[in-house]
Amino acid sequence: MRIRYKKKQVNINLILGLIWLANGIIQTGFNENAGWYDYFWFLLSGFYLIMYFYQKKEQYLTIENGIIKQNWPFGKKLNLNEIIRIKHFAGEYTLKSELQKMKINIDAIDEESLSELKTELKKLNVEWK
């Protein structure tokens, strides 16, 4: 099961990437004495466009084979059967096990996917705070 990002969040990365790309083209195209810092816009644009394509493909969370995993390069993995407590506070779910904790930003999740996530988490026999 994939828990998707809100479309708005993903599309903001695309828009910012295109804005920074256009700015980079304008800065280097119309500036006769373009310095190294003028090429910074291309780097910034590349960062946002890579984030857009990565988020579009991988989505926010994956729940498979009893494991919940954050889909970003240094994302955490947590076995569902190891979760002992779920805390809901300030727009986040904090899943705690004996050794780890994982924070899930609710505001970044699509409404449909959020209801699926809640259903999966309620299946667990754990303490809710």
Side-chain angles (χ1 to χ4, degrees):
M1 170 188 312
R2 290 199 171 213
I3 307 299
R4 296 182 306 277
Y5 282 104
K6 283 185 179 176
K7 288 181 183 178
K8 180 180 177 182
Q9 176 149 352
V10 175
N11 290 336
I12 285 174
N13 290 330
L14 175 63
I15 291 167
L16 287 174
L18 295 176
I19 287 172
W20 298 139
L21 180 63
N23 191 30
I25 291 170
I26 290 169
Q27 291 291 329
T28 56
F30 295 115
N31 189 354
E32 293 177 9
N33 299 329
W36 64 269
Y37 50 84
D38 291 323
Y39 295 97
F40 171 74
W41 301 111
F42 292 110
L43 182 66
L44 191 60
S45 170
F47 175 73
Y48 276 99
L49 291 174
I50 287 169
M51 272 185 19
Y52 166 76
F53 288 113
Y54 189 80
Q55 287 179 349
K56 189 85 167 160
K57 180 180 181 271
E58 293 297 324
Q59 299 303 324
Y60 187 47
L61 295 169
T62 305
I63 301 174
E64 291 181 332
N65 302 326
I67 296 175
I68 186 167
K69 177 185 172 220
Q70 293 174 327
N71 292 325
W72 50 281
F74 302 105
K76 295 180 179 180
K77 288 182 182 179
L78 194 59
N79 287 330
L80 292 174
N81 59 4
E82 292 179 359
I83 296 173
I84 57 174
R85 185 176 312 123
I86 299 173
K87 182 178 179 182
H88 179 237
F89 180 73
E92 284 185 341
Y93 282 137
T94 304
L95 311 178
K96 292 185 181 182
S97 72
E98 291 291 329
L99 303 174
Q100 291 181 285
K101 75 177 182 178
M102 174 190 292
K103 291 188 177 186
I104 299 172
N105 182 2
I106 296 171
D107 296 330
I109 298 175
D110 181 56
E111 293 299 322
E112 241 179 73
S113 291
L114 183 58
S115 66
E116 292 174 9
L117 176 64
K118 285 179 183 178
T119 302
E120 285 296 315
L121 292 178
K122 286 183 180 182
K123 288 180 186 177
L124 303 174
N125 189 20
V126 297
E127 175 187 352
W128 281 76
K129 281 188 163 186

